[in-house]
Amino acid sequence: LPICVSSTRCGWTTGAGLPSPKSEPLRGRRVAIQALGCRTNLAEAEALASAFQRRGALIVDEPPYDAAVIVTCSVTAVADRKSRQLINRCRRAGENVCVAVCGCWAQGVGEKKAAAMGVDLLIGNRFKGELPDRVARWLEDRARSFEAVRGDMGRRWDSLELDRSPYFGRAFVKVQDGCDHRCTYCIVPVLRGPSVSRPVADILAEARRCAAAGQFELILTGVHLGLFGRDSGESFAALVRALDSVEGIQRLRFGSLEPFSIGDDLLEALAQSPRFCRHLHLPVQSGDDEILRRMGRGHTAADYLKLVERLRAALGSDLHISTDVMCAFPGESETAFENTLALLKAARVGRVHGFHYSPRPGTPAAAMSGQIPTEIALARAERLKKAGRECLAAEARRWIGREVEVLFEGRQRGRAQGYTRGYFEFRPERESIYDELRKMTVVSSKNGVLWGR
């Protein structure tokens, strides 16, 4: 489902943190912002909301609205379909609504196709910072013609800055974009461009704004976080140490790190950081060496297991490892799939994002021999998801009887809900309204969710 960024729901204040433009060309305009896909997309959507608010717009999450901004995803065929469906839904909101589409689907789609779907503004990656002003001009221009803004991404950094997060206690801060590592199944390097890092000084300024606004947990996001600093001469380890010095930040976590990108300097910085939460999302994709070779991952199953052992030796045995796993990649035999399931248990993985391979035109894997029939792919995906549920449940049970720190951030089915530092979902046994960071005791676990008081 798309994620809606809303000021009315989350209590945002307009213009907090950064100076507003001299004029407010969108004053009184209602703008809906929705994001599909990864946490980087979510971070960009939140920063876009800040930019629109600085120009006077009111951020809403339902019609009526004057403009709909959609941050699209194109990592799989399913993501493409969801992007198109969301565009169609927003287009039906009215002929005078400006439908502005950005993100990975917008980067790859043909202009004629986008225009035929009713897209008014098509904004490519690394140009999202231009969206608010272009939407303002479109709404003022009576001609209101289709416009596309896409160009050479190069090492360009998109000028998006977050004032404050719409989520209680938590903010997603984008620090890196693009990818230089071309896995054979992935279209993202084509759509996102080469790796580029945000200057540490800018990241620290945004972190201070978030801390001042009450966000005491930061989640650093990027397309390939492990590449941070390699284009600029700065280092991820130095960034972690610098963020440790920001007053008001109590918890620090990452969106995702590729296993081959964790060096000794970063590991040392994490071990020494009092704010780093003991959770790392390390995509493995497969537990079979031949499939990993065909994927172009750059590591073996043994490499992954050694890394996990090294990480837990440095960061503690309670370190929660979550991962991404792709099944039914071209050439995957039943034995290869079983090797993947075995690796999940051997690595003591907790949360698993499991899915089956989806061919992406323009990638080497799409032309590989040994494409897996759909019925086999779907069956393996179900087995993978079942294995993932079992892994998460096993890791959650380790916390029964122990005290945990929980950031409560909302309600689900009438009950408060939040996450521990180790990224386990937690719910209180008693009906109470929580909206803060507090210590709780785990009494039981069910389906990977911790329950306590």
Side-chain angles (χ1 to χ4, degrees):
L1 294 174
I3 300 168
C4 300
V5 179
S6 169
S7 63
T8 56
R9 177 164 48 90
C10 304
W12 251 338
T13 56
T14 301
L18 289 172
S20 297
K22 292 181 180 180
S23 63
E24 294 186 332
L26 288 166
R27 174 159 292 281
R29 298 289 196 175
R30 295 167 59 88
V31 179
I33 301 177
Q34 300 187 64
L36 292 162
C38 64
R39 287 177 172 177
T40 299
N41 276 7
L42 178 58
E44 291 173 343
E46 292 175 7
L48 279 169
S50 290
F52 273 97
Q53 286 189 309
R54 289 194 295 273
R55 289 159 177 80
L58 174 65
I59 306 300
V60 299
D61 55 11
E62 59 184 18
Y65 41 73
D66 299 292
V69 177
I70 306 167
V71 185
T72 59
C73 178
S74 191
V75 70
T76 65
V78 173
D80 278 352
R81 185 176 71 247
K82 289 182 178 180
S83 295
R84 294 192 298 268
Q85 290 172 341
L86 185 53
I87 291 167
N88 290 334
R89 190 186 315 162
C90 292
R91 181 69 282 165
R92 290 195 295 270
E95 62 179 16
N96 291 324
V97 171
C98 176
V99 177
V101 180
C102 61
C104 289
W105 180 88
Q107 182 67 33
V109 71
E111 293 182 12
K112 289 184 178 180
K113 181 176 181 179
M117 290 180 61
V119 173
D120 298 305
L121 294 178
L122 186 70
I123 309 295
N125 284 324
R126 312 278 177 97
F127 293 90
K128 299 183 186 74
E130 299 184 17
L131 253 170
D133 292 331
R134 290 185 180 276
V135 167
R137 287 197 293 269
W138 190 94
L139 291 174
E140 290 301 319
D141 184 0
R142 301 190 179 211
R144 297 182 176 181
S145 58
F146 171 81
E147 183 180 5
V149 182
R150 297 186 292 188
D152 180 17
M153 290 177 281
R155 301 284 177 180
R156 185 180 195 269
W157 180 260
D158 206 350
S159 56
L160 290 173
E161 294 182 291
L162 181 66
D163 291 352
R164 60 168 295 176
S165 170
Y167 303 102
F168 171 79
R170 172 179 294 169
F172 294 88
V173 176
K174 181 182 171 186
V175 303
Q176 184 274 339
D177 202 349
C179 183
D180 297 332
H181 185 89
R182 293 180 177 261
C183 296
T184 60
Y185 52 81
C186 187
I187 195 67
V188 170
V190 175
L191 301 178
R192 280 277 182 177
S195 179
V196 60
S197 306
R198 187 177 185 182
V200 169
D202 289 354
I203 298 169
L204 293 177
E206 187 162 298
R208 293 187 186 101
R209 287 196 299 273
C210 290
Q215 275 77 47
F216 39 76
E217 176 176 299
L218 294 187
I219 302 176
L220 304 186
T221 71
V223 174
H224 192 327
L225 272 180
L227 295 179
F228 177 86
R230 297 190 186 183
D231 60 311
S232 63
E234 297 180 301
S235 77
F236 202 5
L239 173 60
V240 170
R241 292 189 177 98
L243 287 170
D244 271 337
S245 67
V246 177
E247 185 177 354
I249 300 301
Q250 299 181 41
R251 305 200 333 182
L252 177 66
R253 65 171 83 246
F254 309 139
S256 179
L257 272 175
E258 291 295 343
F260 44 78
S261 66
I262 303 178
D264 290 340
D265 58 340
L266 177 58
L267 185 53
E268 181 181 1
L270 297 181
Q272 295 174 350
S273 171
R275 293 171 174 79
F276 170 66
C277 296
R278 268 31 184 187
H279 164 252
L280 285 172
H281 187 79
L282 304 173
V284 67
Q285 303 303 358
S286 175
D288 183 81
D289 286 349
E290 174 58 20
I291 296 301
L292 288 169
R293 185 192 66 77
R294 288 168 66 89
M295 287 179 168
R297 289 290 295 160
H299 64 84
T300 65
D303 291 336
Y304 190 88
L305 292 173
K306 288 177 182 176
L307 172 63
V308 169
E309 182 179 358
R310 181 166 140 257
L311 290 172
R312 288 200 169 113
L315 302 175
S317 60
D318 286 333
L319 177 69
H320 176 198
I321 302 291
S322 59
T323 195
D324 294 335
V325 178
M326 180 190 302
C327 66
F329 188 78
E332 183 186 69
S333 64
E334 178 63 22
T335 299
F337 178 65
E338 292 287 348
N339 287 341
T340 297
L341 300 182
L343 179 139
L344 297 179
K345 292 183 179 179
R348 218 188 80 209
V349 168
R351 193 177 302 275
V352 177
H353 176 217
F355 52 98
H356 66 79
Y357 167 74
S358 171
R360 307 304 293 142
T363 61
M368 285 183 180
S369 60
Q371 300 286 330
I372 306 299
T374 301
E375 59 272 18
I376 295 177
L378 292 174
R380 286 182 184 169
E382 287 303 311
R383 291 167 60 192
L384 178 58
K385 291 175 183 177
K386 180 176 182 293
R389 291 192 293 269
E390 293 171 352
C391 287
L392 181 60
E395 281 298 288
R397 285 193 294 268
R398 290 169 46 85
W399 291 92
I400 296 176
R402 300 167 66 180
E403 186 179 72
V404 294
E405 181 188 82
V406 182
L407 171 58
F408 287 100
E409 55 191 58
R411 297 178 69 80
Q412 194 174 85
R413 298 186 180 92
R415 190 181 298 273
Q417 178 259 355
Y419 284 88
T420 69
R421 290 179 69 92
Y423 199 55
F424 289 94
E425 185 178 349
F426 184 98
R427 299 180 192 175
E429 286 186 323
R430 299 188 180 92
E431 288 282 349
S432 301
I433 298 177
Y434 296 112
D435 197 23
E436 58 186 77
L437 194 69
R438 62 169 65 188
K439 298 286 188 181
M440 306 291 287
T441 299
V442 179
V443 175
S444 63
S445 70
K446 182 179 180 181
N447 299 327
V449 177
L450 305 180
W451 290 77
R453 56 178 177 267

